[in-house]
Amino acid sequence: QKEVEQDPGPLSVPEGAIVSLNCTYSNSAFQYFMWYRQYSRKGPELLMYTYSSGNKEDGRFTAQVDKSSKYISLFIRDSQPSDSATYLCALALGGNNRLAFGKGNQVVVIP
Amino acid sequence: GAVVSQHPSWVICKSGTSVKIECRSLDFQATTMFWYRQFPKQSLMLMATSNEGSKATYEQGVEKDKFLINHASLTLSTLTVTSAHPEDSSFYICSASRTSGRSGETQYFGPGTRLLVL
């Protein structure tokens, strides 16, 4: 079983729709949870970072963590064409900062 | 803050030559830097972790003599692909973690270097 499971998609949505992405993980020792956005031919850009169960909002983005179910989600409200990218979840145990990545979810927002 | 640069952004070289890629943290000091490679439509694969002033720790299956990593200062790490072959063609991305002393400090990624070996 892989450390982190993320359905690679792709996911196409109309502009203005809510995008819902999620990852599951198997190791309950993960303490830090991140979402990165990666545009084509670019490096990943940190979107959200959290370390506790519950919701964290930043503008149109909401990260949700459920440690009991080992499940994390990213929601994008009022999606825009500029949100079209690949979204990667990443988890860390802490300490050595090594990240375990999901496969990435390609999102296309259609104008 | 937390800007990481890479140079060059792309490079084409002949088979058998060596290529050096630089990774710099521009506005913070990075105790730890990471090197990844990424194939099209796939996730990032960690190659090695480097700490300033010490030898890099390579992931299983990554040849340390082929991918030489030097982390000479808190703002610079280099990856040298020695005797490059066409199968080394890939997108190489570095990341850096700040020296905050706080566990779980996240990684900030560079823009990547696209390597094509002919």
Side-chain angles (χ1 to χ4, degrees):
Chain A
Q1 183 183 14
K2 289 179 72 66
E3 280 189 302
V4 183
E5 298 278 0
Q6 181 178 11
D7 184 353
L11 179 65
S12 292
V13 299
E15 184 175 355
I18 294 175
V19 175
S20 174
L21 306 170
N22 56 73
C23 291
T24 58
Y25 60 96
S26 55
N27 188 349
S28 58
F30 282 123
Q31 298 181 53
Y32 303 92
F33 308 92
M34 287 142 280
W35 285 94
Y36 286 87
R37 175 175 62 194
Q38 186 177 23
Y39 291 111
S40 181
R41 297 174 179 266
K42 300 288 185 185
E45 170 195 8
L46 180 65
L47 271 183
M48 301 288 285
Y49 170 81
T50 184
Y51 50 86
S52 57
S53 280
N55 293 351
K56 180 178 181 180
E57 277 193 30
D58 185 0
R60 295 185 295 112
F61 299 92
T62 299
Q64 189 176 76
V65 174
D66 183 344
K67 290 187 179 181
S68 61
S69 301
K70 302 193 193 68
Y71 190 93
I72 64 172
S73 300
L74 177 71
F75 301 98
I76 307 174
R77 290 184 298 280
D78 187 25
S79 57
Q80 305 294 309
S82 58
D83 295 327
S84 298
T86 296
Y87 291 82
L88 297 144
C89 63
L91 289 71
L93 296 171
N96 65 7
N97 296 328
R98 190 178 184 280
L99 293 179
F101 282 95
K103 282 188 175 181
N105 217 169
Q106 186 182 2
V107 173
V108 177
V109 181
I110 303 166
Chain B
V3 179
V4 177
S5 70
Q6 274 183 250
H7 178 81
S9 56
W10 60 270
V11 58
I12 301 173
C13 69
K14 292 183 179 179
S15 186
T17 61
S18 293
V19 175
K20 181 185 281 189
I21 302 170
E22 289 187 353
C23 176
R24 292 181 186 272
S25 57
L26 298 185
D27 53 359
F28 66 100
Q29 292 185 322
T31 296
T32 308
M33 286 185 168
F34 304 82
W35 287 95
Y36 297 83
R37 67 189 293 184
Q38 186 177 35
F39 292 104
K41 298 191 183 299
Q42 293 192 23
S43 191
L44 287 79
M45 184 187 79
L46 179 65
M47 299 175 67
T49 302
S50 77
N51 292 290
E52 185 261 341
S54 60
K55 289 184 179 181
T57 302
Y58 290 80
E59 294 299 302
Q60 193 173 11
V62 178
E63 298 177 58
K64 59 181 69 175
D65 294 331
K66 181 165 185 62
F67 298 100
L68 299 178
I69 291 172
N70 184 276
H71 191 163
S73 76
L74 285 172
T75 59
L76 173 64
S77 177
T78 59
L79 167 68
T80 302
V81 183
T82 62
S83 187
H85 290 283
E87 57 266 29
D88 298 324
S89 300
S90 189
F91 191 46
Y92 291 87
I93 310 174
C94 72
S95 71
S97 185
R98 281 191 281 210
T99 55
S100 67
R102 182 179 57 167
S103 293
E105 178 61 75
T106 192
Q107 296 176 27
Y108 299 93
F109 285 84
T113 297
R114 192 160 299 279
L115 171 64
L116 177 61
V117 184
L118 302 177

